[in-house]
Amino acid sequence: AQSVAQPEDQVNVAEGNPLTVKCTYSVSGNPYLFWYVQYPNRGLQFLLKYITGDNLVKGSYGFEAEFNKSQTSFHLKKPSALVSDSALYFCAVRDSYGQNFVFGPGTRLSVLP
Amino acid sequence: GAGVSQSPSNKVTEKGKDVELRCDPISGHTALYWYRQSLGQGLEFLIYFQGNSAPDKSGLPSDRFSAERTGGSVSTLTIQRTQQEDSAVYLCASSLEAPSVGTEAFFGQGTRLTVV
């Protein structure tokens, strides 16, 4: 069975500092990994994904994520945080057999001015 | 439309009543998903439709919940005899499966259901 863990309920970071939101996963076969962001009272917006190829993937709004197969991790990063990045972030996985997307519990990011 | 459309955006219903939630996926997307999100919480998988295959209903919490997808496009999630614990935001998503399952899902804005 697929599963996703986001070990931090809340991440606080000062504006301008680098941010990391952690994600680890468990899946049979090759993983397809995704990050989504949710602003208040909105649906989820796609940020980036890892399918194959380079372990470092770049996405929207300056976010990037690094796939680490040995650690089964897919941490989300941004070199310099903005107050507007404050939101709820979800990591998701699906396997190559095409099952539904399994989401982590979410991490609330607060960027302090 | 350009994105996934859900209606209504808000629904308040009395306990014991039936409700229907509608989802219009992005045109051409063969896969459609329903998730439930309680206030500020994670996403709970409900059901997954993929093309003409039998849907994956493994996430439906009880037999009061059902969903159908007509003509491979519009989907309706029905909750019978609603209970207060059904109150949540119901999110619909669609994705283009072929030729790869590595495509991302696009989400609608959700339907906020309140059972009073």
Side-chain angles (χ1 to χ4, degrees):
Chain A
Q2 305 164 88
S3 66
V4 177
Q6 292 180 244
E8 301 155 318
D9 292 336
Q10 173 93 31
V11 170
N12 297 321
V13 64
E15 187 176 28
N17 282 1
L19 69 86
T20 299
V21 183
K22 296 179 181 178
C23 170
T24 59
Y25 66 90
S26 175
V27 69
S28 301
N30 295 321
Y32 295 145
L33 295 157
F34 305 81
W35 275 103
Y36 286 83
V37 60
Q38 186 178 37
Y39 297 100
N41 301 313
R42 303 293 299 275
L44 275 68
Q45 295 179 30
F46 168 74
L47 277 179
L48 51 77
K49 65 181 178 182
Y50 172 82
I51 304 302
T52 187
D54 289 342
N55 290 341
L56 184 65
V57 293
K58 295 185 182 298
S60 306
Y61 313 120
F63 284 93
E64 57 189 30
E66 186 166 13
F67 170 63
N68 187 316
K69 187 173 183 177
S70 63
Q71 297 185 3
T72 61
S73 68
F74 189 56
H75 300 332
L76 182 70
K77 300 181 180 184
K78 186 173 183 180
S80 178
L82 300 172
V83 172
S84 58
D85 292 330
S86 299
L88 190 56
Y89 289 81
F90 291 97
C91 181
V93 67
R94 72 186 320 204
D95 62 26
S96 53
Y97 303 105
Q99 302 303 308
N100 61 288
F101 292 80
V102 173
F103 284 83
T107 297
R108 188 166 299 281
L109 173 68
S110 292
V111 181
L112 308 173
Chain B
V4 177
S5 178
Q6 292 187 246
S7 60
S9 54
N10 281 284
K11 176 72 176 179
V12 180
T13 189
E14 292 181 351
K15 179 181 174 181
K17 300 280 189 181
D18 298 351
V19 295
E20 287 189 350
L21 311 180
R22 177 187 169 101
C23 174
D24 282 276
I26 293 172
S27 178
H29 280 193
T30 57
L32 186 147
Y33 318 78
W34 283 98
Y35 290 86
R36 178 168 72 173
Q37 184 178 29
S38 299
L39 185 62
Q41 300 301 309
L43 275 72
E44 176 188 6
F45 167 71
L46 298 177
I47 189 168
Y48 163 43
F49 296 90
Q50 166 50 1
N52 296 321
S53 302
D56 176 358
K57 303 179 181 180
S58 61
L60 294 178
S62 77
D63 59 6
R64 295 187 295 105
F65 288 73
S66 63
E68 63 177 20
R69 187 178 185 191
T70 54
S73 180
V74 172
S75 177
T76 303
L77 177 68
T78 300
I79 308 173
Q80 295 178 312
R81 306 180 301 283
T82 52
Q83 303 295 313
Q84 288 186 329
E85 60 263 29
D86 299 334
S87 296
V89 176
Y90 289 80
L91 292 167
C92 176
S94 69
S95 69
L96 181 61
E97 297 290 272
S100 165
V101 298
T103 54
E104 60 270 27
F106 295 85
F107 282 80
Q109 300 286 57
T111 293
R112 182 178 298 278
L113 175 66
T114 303
V115 182
V116 297

